[in-house]
Every structure is written in C-alpha cells, then in structure tokens.
Coordinates of all heavy atoms in Angstrom, one line a residue:
M23 N 0.8 -1.2 0.0 CA 0.0 0.0 0.0 C 0.9 1.2 0.0 O 1.9 1.3 0.7 CB -0.8 0.0 1.3 CG -2.3 0.2 1.0 SD -3.1 0.3 2.5 CE -4.6 -0.4 2.1
G24 N 0.4 2.3 -0.7 CA 1.2 3.5 -0.8 C 0.9 4.4 0.4 O -0.2 4.4 0.9
S25 N 1.9 5.1 0.8 CA 1.7 6.0 2.0 C 1.6 7.4 1.4 O 2.0 7.8 0.3 CB 3.0 5.9 2.9 OG 4.1 6.4 2.2
L26 N 0.9 8.2 2.2 CA 0.7 9.6 1.9 C 1.9 10.4 2.2 O 2.6 10.2 3.2 CB -0.5 10.2 2.7 CG -1.9 9.6 2.4 CD1 -2.9 10.2 3.3 CD2 -2.2 10.0 0.9
N27 N 2.2 11.3 1.3 CA 3.4 12.2 1.4 C 2.9 13.6 1.7 O 2.5 14.3 0.8 CB 4.3 12.1 0.2 CG 5.6 12.9 0.4 OD1 5.9 13.5 1.4 ND2 6.5 12.8 -0.6
F28 N 2.9 14.0 2.9 CA 2.4 15.4 3.3 C 3.3 16.5 3.0 O 3.0 17.6 2.9 CB 2.0 15.4 4.8 CG 0.8 14.6 5.1 CD1 1.0 13.4 5.8 CD2 -0.5 14.9 4.7 CE1 -0.1 12.6 6.0 CE2 -1.6 14.2 5.0 CZ -1.4 13.0 5.7
R29 N 4.6 16.2 2.7 CA 5.6 17.2 2.4 C 5.6 17.6 1.0 O 6.3 18.5 0.6 CB 6.9 16.7 2.9 CG 7.0 16.6 4.4 CD 8.4 16.3 4.8 NE 8.5 16.1 6.2 CZ 9.5 15.7 6.9 NH1 10.6 15.4 6.2 NH2 9.5 15.6 8.2
G30 N 4.9 16.9 0.1 CA 4.9 17.1 -1.3 C 6.0 16.4 -2.0 O 6.9 15.8 -1.3
S31 N 6.1 16.4 -3.3 CA 7.1 15.7 -4.0 C 8.4 16.5 -4.0 O 8.4 17.7 -3.7 CB 6.6 15.4 -5.4 OG 6.5 16.6 -6.1
K32 N 9.4 15.8 -4.4 CA 10.8 16.5 -4.4 C 10.7 17.6 -5.5 O 11.4 18.6 -5.3 CB 11.8 15.5 -4.8 CG 13.2 16.0 -4.6 CD 14.2 14.9 -4.6 CE 15.6 15.5 -4.5 NZ 16.3 15.2 -3.3
Q33 N 10.0 17.5 -6.6 CA 9.9 18.5 -7.6 C 9.3 19.8 -7.0 O 9.7 20.9 -7.3 CB 9.1 18.0 -8.8 CG 9.9 17.2 -9.7 CD 9.0 16.8 -10.9 OE1 7.8 16.7 -10.9 NE2 9.7 16.6 -12.1
D34 N 8.3 19.6 -6.2 CA 7.6 20.8 -5.6 C 8.5 21.6 -4.7 O 8.5 22.8 -4.7 CB 6.4 20.4 -4.7 CG 5.3 19.8 -5.6 OD1 5.3 20.1 -6.8 OD2 4.4 19.1 -5.1
S35 N 9.4 20.9 -4.0 CA 10.3 21.6 -3.1 C 11.4 22.4 -3.9 O 11.9 23.4 -3.5 CB 11.0 20.7 -2.1 OG 11.8 19.7 -2.7
N36 N 11.7 21.8 -5.0 CA 12.7 22.5 -5.9 C 12.1 23.8 -6.5 O 12.8 24.8 -6.7 CB 13.2 21.6 -7.0 CG 14.1 20.6 -6.5 OD1 14.7 20.7 -5.5 ND2 14.2 19.5 -7.3
G37 N 10.8 23.9 -6.7 CA 10.2 25.0 -7.3 C 10.3 26.2 -6.4 O 10.6 27.3 -6.8
W38 N 10.0 26.0 -5.1 CA 10.0 27.2 -4.2 C 11.4 27.6 -3.9 O 11.7 28.8 -3.6 CB 9.2 26.9 -2.9 CG 9.9 25.9 -1.9 CD1 9.7 24.6 -1.8 CD2 10.9 26.2 -0.9 NE1 10.4 24.0 -0.8 CE2 11.2 25.0 -0.3 CE3 11.5 27.4 -0.6 CZ2 12.2 25.0 0.7 CZ3 12.5 27.3 0.5 CH2 12.8 26.2 1.1
K39 N 12.4 26.7 -4.0 CA 13.8 27.0 -3.7 C 14.3 27.9 -4.9 O 15.0 28.9 -4.6 CB 14.6 25.8 -3.6 CG 14.4 25.0 -2.3 CD 15.3 23.8 -2.3 CE 15.0 23.0 -1.0 NZ 15.8 21.7 -1.0
K40 N 13.9 27.6 -6.1 CA 14.3 28.4 -7.2 C 13.7 29.8 -7.1 O 14.3 30.8 -7.4 CB 13.9 27.8 -8.5 CG 14.7 26.6 -8.9 CD 14.2 25.9 -10.2 CE 14.9 24.7 -10.5 NZ 14.5 24.0 -11.7
A41 N 12.4 29.9 -6.7 CA 11.7 31.2 -6.6 C 12.4 32.0 -5.5 O 12.5 33.2 -5.6 CB 10.2 31.0 -6.3
A42 N 12.8 31.3 -4.4 CA 13.5 32.0 -3.3 C 14.8 32.6 -3.7 O 15.2 33.7 -3.4 CB 13.6 31.1 -2.1
K43 N 15.5 31.8 -4.6 CA 16.8 32.3 -5.1 C 16.6 33.5 -6.0 O 17.4 34.5 -5.9 CB 17.5 31.2 -5.8 CG 18.1 30.1 -4.9 CD 18.7 29.0 -5.7 CE 19.2 27.9 -4.8 NZ 19.8 26.8 -5.6
V44 N 15.6 33.5 -6.8 CA 15.3 34.6 -7.7 C 15.0 35.8 -6.9 O 15.4 36.9 -7.2 CB 14.2 34.2 -8.8 CG1 13.7 35.4 -9.5 CG2 14.7 33.1 -9.7
N45 N 14.1 35.6 -5.9 CA 13.7 36.8 -5.1 C 14.9 37.4 -4.4 O 15.0 38.6 -4.2 CB 12.6 36.3 -4.1 CG 11.3 36.1 -4.7 OD1 11.0 36.6 -5.8 ND2 10.4 35.4 -4.1
C46 N 15.8 36.5 -3.9 CA 17.0 37.1 -3.2 C 17.9 37.9 -4.1 O 18.4 38.9 -3.8 CB 17.8 35.9 -2.6 SG 17.0 35.2 -1.1
V47 N 18.0 37.4 -5.4 CA 18.8 38.1 -6.4 C 18.2 39.5 -6.7 O 18.8 40.5 -6.7 CB 19.0 37.3 -7.6 CG1 19.6 38.1 -8.7 CG2 19.9 36.1 -7.3
V48 N 16.9 39.4 -7.0 CA 16.2 40.7 -7.3 C 16.3 41.7 -6.1 O 16.5 42.9 -6.3 CB 14.7 40.4 -7.7 CG1 13.9 41.7 -7.7 CG2 14.6 39.7 -9.0
L49 N 16.0 41.2 -4.9 CA 16.1 42.0 -3.7 C 17.5 42.6 -3.5 O 17.7 43.8 -3.2 CB 15.7 41.2 -2.5 CG 15.6 42.0 -1.2 CD1 14.6 43.1 -1.3 CD2 15.3 41.1 0.0
S50 N 18.5 41.8 -3.8 CA 19.9 42.3 -3.6 C 20.2 43.4 -4.7 O 20.8 44.4 -4.4 CB 20.9 41.1 -3.8 OG 20.7 40.2 -2.8
V51 N 19.8 43.1 -5.9 CA 20.1 44.1 -7.0 C 19.4 45.4 -6.7 O 19.9 46.5 -6.9 CB 19.7 43.5 -8.4 CG1 19.7 44.6 -9.5 CG2 20.6 42.4 -8.7
M52 N 18.1 45.3 -6.3 CA 17.3 46.5 -6.0 C 17.9 47.3 -4.8 O 17.9 48.5 -4.8 CB 15.9 46.2 -5.8 CG 15.2 45.7 -7.1 SD 14.8 46.9 -8.3 CE 16.3 47.3 -9.1
S53 N 18.4 46.5 -3.8 CA 19.0 47.2 -2.7 C 20.2 48.0 -3.0 O 20.4 49.1 -2.6 CB 19.3 46.2 -1.6 OG 18.1 45.6 -1.1
V54 N 21.0 47.4 -3.9 CA 22.3 48.1 -4.3 C 21.9 49.3 -5.2 O 22.5 50.4 -5.0 CB 23.2 47.1 -5.1 CG1 24.3 47.8 -5.8 CG2 23.7 46.0 -4.2
A55 N 20.9 49.2 -6.0 CA 20.5 50.3 -6.9 C 19.9 51.4 -6.0 O 20.2 52.6 -6.2 CB 19.5 49.8 -7.9
L56 N 19.1 51.1 -5.0 CA 18.5 52.1 -4.2 C 19.6 52.8 -3.3 O 19.6 54.0 -3.0 CB 17.4 51.5 -3.3 CG 16.1 51.2 -4.1 CD1 15.2 50.4 -3.2 CD2 15.5 52.4 -4.7
L57 N 20.5 52.0 -2.8 CA 21.6 52.5 -2.0 C 22.5 53.5 -2.9 O 22.9 54.6 -2.4 CB 22.5 51.4 -1.5 CG 23.6 51.8 -0.6 CD1 23.1 52.5 0.7 CD2 24.5 50.6 -0.2
A58 N 22.7 53.1 -4.1 CA 23.5 54.0 -5.0 C 22.7 55.3 -5.3 O 23.3 56.4 -5.3 CB 23.8 53.3 -6.3
C59 N 21.4 55.2 -5.4 CA 20.6 56.5 -5.6 C 20.6 57.3 -4.4 O 20.8 58.6 -4.5 CB 19.2 56.1 -6.0 SG 19.0 55.4 -7.6
T60 N 20.6 56.7 -3.2 CA 20.6 57.5 -2.0 C 22.0 58.1 -1.8 O 22.0 59.3 -1.4 CB 20.4 56.5 -0.8 OG1 19.1 55.9 -0.9 CG2 20.4 57.3 0.5
I61 N 23.1 57.4 -2.1 CA 24.4 58.0 -2.0 C 24.5 59.2 -2.9 O 25.1 60.2 -2.6 CB 25.5 56.9 -2.2 CG1 25.5 56.0 -1.0 CG2 26.8 57.6 -2.4 CD1 26.3 54.8 -1.2
A62 N 24.1 59.0 -4.2 CA 24.2 60.1 -5.2 C 23.4 61.3 -4.7 O 23.8 62.4 -4.9 CB 23.7 59.6 -6.5
A63 N 22.2 61.1 -4.1 CA 21.4 62.2 -3.7 C 22.0 62.9 -2.5 O 22.0 64.1 -2.4 CB 20.0 61.7 -3.3
L64 N 22.6 62.2 -1.6 CA 23.1 62.8 -0.4 C 24.5 63.4 -0.7 O 24.8 64.4 0.0 CB 23.3 61.7 0.7 CG 22.0 61.2 1.3 CD1 22.3 60.1 2.3 CD2 21.2 62.3 1.9
S65 N 25.2 63.0 -1.6 CA 26.5 63.5 -1.9 C 26.4 64.8 -2.9 O 27.4 65.5 -3.0 CB 27.4 62.5 -2.6 OG 26.9 62.1 -3.8
H66 N 25.2 65.0 -3.4 CA 25.0 66.1 -4.3 C 25.0 67.4 -3.5 O 24.6 67.4 -2.3 CB 23.7 65.9 -5.1 CG 23.5 66.8 -6.2 ND1 24.4 66.9 -7.3 CD2 22.6 67.8 -6.5 CE1 24.0 67.8 -8.2 NE2 22.9 68.4 -7.7
D67 N 25.4 68.5 -4.1 CA 25.4 69.8 -3.5 C 24.0 70.2 -3.0 O 23.0 70.1 -3.7 CB 25.8 70.9 -4.5 CG 26.0 72.2 -3.8 OD1 26.0 72.3 -2.6 OD2 26.1 73.2 -4.6
A68 N 23.8 70.5 -1.7 CA 22.5 70.8 -1.1 C 21.9 72.0 -1.7 O 20.6 72.2 -1.6 CB 22.6 70.9 0.4
Q69 N 22.6 72.9 -2.3 CA 22.1 74.1 -2.8 C 21.4 73.9 -4.2 O 20.6 74.8 -4.6 CB 23.2 75.2 -3.0 CG 23.9 75.6 -1.7 CD 22.9 76.2 -0.8 OE1 22.1 77.0 -1.1 NE2 23.1 75.9 0.5
H70 N 21.6 72.8 -4.8 CA 21.0 72.6 -6.1 C 20.2 71.3 -6.1 O 20.6 70.3 -5.5 CB 22.1 72.5 -7.2 CG 22.9 73.7 -7.4 ND1 24.0 74.0 -6.6 CD2 22.7 74.8 -8.2 CE1 24.5 75.2 -7.0 NE2 23.7 75.7 -7.9
A71 N 19.1 71.3 -6.7 CA 18.3 70.1 -6.8 C 18.9 69.0 -7.7 O 19.5 69.4 -8.7 CB 16.9 70.4 -7.2
L72 N 18.7 67.8 -7.3 CA 19.2 66.7 -8.1 C 18.0 66.3 -9.1 O 17.0 65.7 -8.6 CB 19.6 65.5 -7.3 CG 20.1 64.3 -8.0 CD1 21.4 64.6 -8.7 CD2 20.4 63.2 -7.0
F73 N 18.2 66.5 -10.4 CA 17.1 66.2 -11.3 C 17.4 64.9 -12.0 O 18.5 64.6 -12.4 CB 17.0 67.3 -12.4 CG 16.5 68.6 -11.9 CD1 17.4 69.7 -11.7 CD2 15.2 68.8 -11.7 CE1 16.9 70.9 -11.2 CE2 14.7 70.0 -11.2 CZ 15.5 71.0 -11.0
F74 N 16.3 64.1 -12.1 CA 16.4 62.9 -12.8 C 16.1 63.1 -14.3 O 16.7 62.6 -15.2 CB 15.4 61.9 -12.2 CG 15.4 60.5 -13.0 CD1 16.4 59.6 -12.7 CD2 14.4 60.2 -13.9 CE1 16.4 58.4 -13.4 CE2 14.4 59.0 -14.5 CZ 15.4 58.1 -14.3
Y75 N 15.1 64.0 -14.5 CA 14.7 64.3 -15.9 C 14.3 65.8 -15.9 O 13.6 66.2 -15.0 CB 13.6 63.4 -16.4 CG 13.2 63.8 -17.8 CD1 13.9 63.3 -18.9 CD2 12.1 64.5 -18.0 CE1 13.6 63.6 -20.2 CE2 11.7 64.8 -19.3 CZ 12.4 64.4 -20.4 OH 12.1 64.7 -21.7
D76 N 14.7 66.6 -16.9 CA 14.3 68.0 -17.0 C 13.7 68.2 -18.3 O 14.2 67.8 -19.4 CB 15.6 68.8 -16.9 CG 15.3 70.3 -16.8 OD1 14.1 70.6 -16.5 OD2 16.2 71.1 -17.0
G77 N 12.5 68.7 -18.3 CA 11.7 69.0 -19.5 C 10.5 69.8 -19.3 O 10.1 70.1 -18.2
D78 N 9.8 70.1 -20.4 CA 8.6 70.9 -20.3 C 7.5 70.0 -19.6 O 7.2 68.9 -20.1 CB 8.1 71.3 -21.7 CG 6.9 72.1 -21.7 OD1 6.6 72.8 -20.6 OD2 6.2 72.2 -22.7
C79 N 6.8 70.5 -18.6 CA 5.8 69.8 -17.8 C 4.6 69.4 -18.7 O 4.0 68.4 -18.5 CB 5.4 70.5 -16.6 SG 6.6 70.7 -15.4
G80 N 4.3 70.2 -19.7 CA 3.2 69.9 -20.5 C 3.5 69.0 -21.7 O 2.6 68.6 -22.5
G81 N 4.8 68.7 -21.9 CA 5.2 67.9 -23.0 C 4.8 66.4 -22.9 O 4.7 65.9 -21.8
K82 N 4.7 65.8 -24.0 CA 4.4 64.3 -24.1 C 5.6 63.5 -23.5 O 5.4 62.4 -23.0 CB 4.1 63.9 -25.5 CG 3.6 62.5 -25.6 CD 3.2 62.1 -27.0 CE 2.8 60.7 -27.0 NZ 2.5 60.2 -28.4
N83 N 6.8 64.0 -23.7 CA 8.0 63.3 -23.3 C 8.0 63.1 -21.8 O 8.4 62.0 -21.3 CB 9.2 64.0 -23.8 CG 10.4 63.1 -24.0 OD1 10.2 61.9 -24.1 ND2 11.6 63.7 -24.1
V84 N 7.6 64.1 -21.0 CA 7.6 64.0 -19.6 C 6.5 62.9 -19.1 O 6.8 62.1 -18.2 CB 7.3 65.3 -18.9 CG1 7.1 65.2 -17.4 CG2 8.5 66.3 -19.2
A85 N 5.4 62.9 -19.8 CA 4.4 62.0 -19.5 C 4.8 60.5 -19.8 O 4.6 59.6 -19.0 CB 3.1 62.3 -20.3
S86 N 5.6 60.4 -20.8 CA 6.1 59.0 -21.2 C 7.1 58.6 -20.1 O 7.2 57.4 -19.7 CB 6.8 59.1 -22.5 OG 5.8 59.4 -23.5
V87 N 8.0 59.5 -19.7 CA 9.0 59.2 -18.7 C 8.3 58.8 -17.4 O 8.7 57.8 -16.7 CB 10.0 60.3 -18.5 CG1 10.9 60.1 -17.3 CG2 10.9 60.5 -19.7
N88 N 7.3 59.6 -17.0 CA 6.5 59.4 -15.8 C 5.9 58.0 -15.8 O 5.9 57.2 -14.9 CB 5.5 60.5 -15.6 CG 4.7 60.3 -14.3 OD1 5.3 59.9 -13.3 ND2 3.5 60.7 -14.3
L89 N 5.3 57.6 -16.9 CA 4.6 56.3 -17.1 C 5.6 55.2 -17.0 O 5.4 54.2 -16.3 CB 3.9 56.3 -18.4 CG 3.2 54.9 -18.8 CD1 2.1 54.6 -17.8 CD2 2.7 54.9 -20.2
A90 N 6.8 55.4 -17.7 CA 7.8 54.3 -17.7 C 8.3 54.1 -16.2 O 8.5 53.0 -15.8 CB 8.9 54.7 -18.6
L91 N 8.5 55.2 -15.5 CA 9.1 55.1 -14.1 C 8.0 54.4 -13.2 O 8.4 53.5 -12.4 CB 9.4 56.4 -13.6 CG 10.7 57.0 -14.2 CD1 10.9 58.4 -13.6 CD2 11.9 56.2 -13.9
H92 N 6.8 54.7 -13.4 CA 5.7 54.1 -12.6 C 5.6 52.6 -12.9 O 5.4 51.8 -12.0 CB 4.4 54.8 -12.8 CG 4.2 56.0 -11.9 ND1 4.6 57.2 -12.3 CD2 3.7 56.1 -10.7 CE1 4.4 58.1 -11.3 NE2 3.8 57.4 -10.3
L93 N 5.7 52.2 -14.2 CA 5.7 50.8 -14.6 C 6.9 50.1 -14.0 O 6.7 48.9 -13.5 CB 5.7 50.7 -16.1 CG 4.3 51.1 -16.8 CD1 4.5 51.0 -18.3 CD2 3.2 50.1 -16.3
L94 N 8.1 50.7 -14.0 CA 9.3 50.1 -13.5 C 9.1 49.9 -12.0 O 9.4 48.8 -11.4 CB 10.5 51.0 -13.7 CG 11.8 50.5 -13.2 CD1 12.2 49.2 -13.9 CD2 12.9 51.5 -13.3
I95 N 8.5 50.8 -11.3 CA 8.3 50.7 -9.8 C 7.3 49.5 -9.6 O 7.6 48.7 -8.7 CB 7.7 52.0 -9.2 CG1 8.8 53.1 -9.2 CG2 7.2 51.7 -7.8 CD1 8.3 54.4 -8.9
N96 N 6.3 49.4 -10.3 CA 5.3 48.3 -10.2 C 5.9 47.0 -10.5 O 5.6 46.0 -9.8 CB 4.1 48.6 -11.0 CG 3.2 49.7 -10.5 OD1 3.2 49.9 -9.3 ND2 2.5 50.4 -11.4
I97 N 6.7 46.9 -11.5 CA 7.3 45.6 -11.9 C 8.3 45.2 -10.8 O 8.3 44.0 -10.4 CB 8.0 45.7 -13.2 CG1 7.0 45.9 -14.4 CG2 9.0 44.6 -13.5 CD1 7.6 46.2 -15.7
V98 N 9.1 46.1 -10.3 CA 10.1 45.7 -9.3 C 9.4 45.3 -8.0 O 9.8 44.4 -7.3 CB 11.1 46.9 -9.0 CG1 11.9 46.7 -7.8 CG2 12.0 47.1 -10.2
S99 N 8.4 46.1 -7.6 CA 7.7 45.8 -6.4 C 6.9 44.4 -6.5 O 6.8 43.7 -5.5 CB 6.7 46.9 -6.0 OG 5.7 47.0 -6.9
T100 N 6.5 44.1 -7.7 CA 5.8 42.8 -7.9 C 6.8 41.7 -7.8 O 6.6 40.6 -7.2 CB 5.1 42.7 -9.2 OG1 4.1 43.8 -9.3 CG2 4.5 41.4 -9.5
L101 N 8.0 41.9 -8.3 CA 9.1 40.9 -8.3 C 9.5 40.6 -6.8 O 9.8 39.5 -6.4 CB 10.3 41.3 -9.1 CG 10.0 41.2 -10.6 CD1 11.3 41.8 -11.3 CD2 9.7 39.8 -11.1
V102 N 9.6 41.7 -6.1 CA 10.1 41.5 -4.7 C 8.9 41.0 -3.9 O 9.0 40.1 -3.1 CB 10.6 42.8 -4.1 CG1 10.9 42.7 -2.6 CG2 11.8 43.3 -4.8

C-alpha cells in the first residue's frame, strides 16, 4: 500500500527554492540600486536640486518618462 506524502514531492520543493533564489537576487540588486541612488542624492550639493529628468511639464515626453518610471516601480515591487 502507498503512503501519503504530506511534504509534497521532491519537484515541488525545488520550485520554491528556485523562486526564493530569484527573489533574493532581485532584492539584492534593487537594494544596491537604491543605495546608489541614496548616496548620489546625499553627496550632491544641497544648494542645487538633483534632477532625474528635466523637460517641459506639458510635453508628451515627460508623461512618457513618468509612465515608464511608474511601470518600473510596479514591476520591481511585484518581483520583490
């Protein structure tokens, strides 16, 4: 008679291990990127603003950059 395996099969355990490794890599890369942005912002002259993008507020280009940045934030937060 076969016994029940409550821990799942060996293949199932490999799936979550791979996902955990991917999450750790994404989290590490994002942490380094955010730390670099923080260092760049703090090391910049306090008398002048640090601009990521400079352009006409009514222009289509600014709207595209804004959309792209929001999508990037959503993708990264979903991955983490």
Side-chain angles (χ1 to χ4, degrees):
M23 233 187 210
S25 64
L26 293 175
N27 187 358
F28 291 106
R29 294 184 181 174
S31 68
K32 189 166 179 118
Q33 280 184 330
D34 292 341
S35 66
N36 287 340
W38 72 264
K39 288 179 184 178
K40 288 179 185 178
K43 287 178 185 177
V44 169
N45 285 340
C46 287
V47 169
V48 169
L49 184 61
S50 298
V51 170
M52 293 287 73
S53 295
V54 169
L56 290 173
L57 182 63
C59 289
T60 302
I61 290 171
L64 292 176
S65 66
H66 193 63
D67 185 15
Q69 298 297 323
H70 299 89
L72 181 63
F73 289 104
F74 180 76
Y75 180 80
D76 189 16
D78 182 25
C79 291
K82 185 178 179 183
N83 208 15
V84 172
S86 298
V87 171
N88 185 34
L89 177 65
L91 289 174
H92 277 90
L93 288 174
L94 179 65
I95 290 169
N96 286 332
I97 290 169
V98 169
S99 64
T100 301
L101 289 174
V102 173

